[in-house]
Amino acid sequence: MSTQGEFAVMLKLNPLFAELGSEDLQRIAGLSHTRQIAAGEVLFQKGERGDALFGVRRGQIRIEAPATDGSRLTLNFLGPGELVGEVAVLDGQSRTADATAGEPTELFELRRADFLDHLEREPKVAVKLIGLLSQRIRWMSERMEESVLQPLPVRLARRLCALAAEVGSEVHISQEQLGVFVGAARESVNRQLQTWRKDDILDVHRGRILLKNLGRLTAVARSQQR
């Protein structure tokens, strides 16, 4: 498979581009180029103009934000096959967080100007994207409702399971960072983690959580408590 063919597959797996045809995806992928960044190198910073979409070919990108105590909160980990900046490539607005390479990383880069030029030449693709964006807005609305209606154990279990799917059973994250993820105070997160620790579902260490019984945690994540 060609390099740009890899990027086309990556686009196909993303909800924003999922319903575009293979020819459309190949044309869009053909607008991209690859880029190498070193471990610790900043890809973009919060407040910068969003002028490109990136796909992780190899390595890892950390999405971060400053904490109140001056430290850095890791909001997400992006690995091979994942995209960052899908919305920015369309609206060109400011980045909402920082993105930093967690290790040597190779990226696909699709510049906004090139993408918009393509949409002007292919208005049918633009119409499809409008429909896909509408679906994404509905999905985000459902997730917001879930965050309000679901209790903390469910929200916390879902976040830990999602992180485990990315990085494995040893999740390097602070309790403050988890609180940001699930919209809860650190003290509330700590109480729930200690309950699960007593139940032998996980172990809590400084800056990391070891998931010992992912099956039980998944069962909590899949529950529909009210």
Side-chain angles (χ1 to χ4, degrees):
M1 182 184 296
S2 67
T3 301
Q4 291 176 338
E6 288 181 43
F7 189 41
V9 172
M10 194 180 299
L11 292 172
K12 182 66 176 178
L13 295 175
N14 185 274
L16 181 59
F17 300 96
E19 294 186 16
L20 297 181
S22 59
E23 291 186 4
D24 290 330
L25 292 171
Q26 288 289 344
R27 292 191 187 101
I28 293 171
L31 303 172
S32 70
H33 61 274
T34 57
R35 174 177 173 182
Q36 309 274 349
I37 58 175
E41 185 175 343
V42 175
L43 179 61
F44 56 75
Q45 292 182 307
K46 181 178 180 179
E48 290 182 355
R49 179 172 172 268
D51 61 354
L53 174 155
F54 300 96
V56 183
R57 190 183 189 199
R58 299 186 183 90
Q60 183 192 81
I61 294 293
R62 295 194 310 266
I63 305 301
E64 302 176 319
T68 54
D69 62 0
S71 63
R72 308 289 299 166
L73 292 176
T74 299
L75 304 178
N76 205 358
F77 299 93
L78 300 176
E82 295 187 277
L83 302 183
V84 57
E86 307 98 301
V87 175
V89 81
L90 291 171
D91 67 14
Q93 297 299 306
S94 300
R95 304 287 190 184
T96 57
D98 300 342
T100 306
E103 58 188 67
T105 299
E106 182 177 6
L107 300 160
F108 292 105
E109 181 173 3
L110 175 61
R111 307 296 295 181
R112 181 171 185 266
D114 296 333
F115 185 57
L116 294 184
D117 285 345
H118 177 73
L119 293 184
E120 289 182 1
R121 296 191 300 269
E122 301 285 347
K124 290 183 179 180
V125 175
V127 171
K128 289 181 182 178
L129 286 176
I130 290 171
L132 291 169
L133 279 170
S134 299
Q135 292 178 19
R136 180 166 179 155
I137 290 170
R138 290 179 183 273
W139 181 87
M140 292 178 66
S141 177
E142 291 171 358
R143 299 292 77 76
M144 290 178 65
E145 180 180 358
E146 174 186 278
S147 70
V148 173
L149 297 177
Q150 294 297 331
L152 177 59
V154 175
R155 304 199 312 270
L156 189 55
R158 290 178 181 176
R159 175 50 57 183
L160 286 172
C161 287
L163 290 170
E166 294 286 341
V167 300
S169 61
E170 186 171 321
V171 178
H172 289 259
I173 190 169
S174 71
Q175 293 180 30
E176 183 182 6
Q177 289 172 328
L178 274 176
V180 172
F181 270 128
V182 301
R186 179 192 178 282
E187 293 75 13
S188 299
V189 169
N190 179 263
R191 283 195 295 270
Q192 183 58 53
L193 292 177
Q194 293 303 325
T195 296
W196 284 338
R197 183 185 63 79
K198 293 175 182 177
D199 292 338
D200 206 32
I201 294 175
L202 50 76
D203 265 341
V204 180
H205 303 277
R206 184 175 180 83
R208 63 189 178 94
I209 297 170
L210 179 62
L211 305 179
K212 300 171 64 177
N213 193 328
L214 194 56
R216 290 181 63 185
L217 197 65
T218 301
V220 176
R222 290 177 176 172
S223 64
Q224 297 291 327
Q225 302 175 31
R226 288 290 189 272

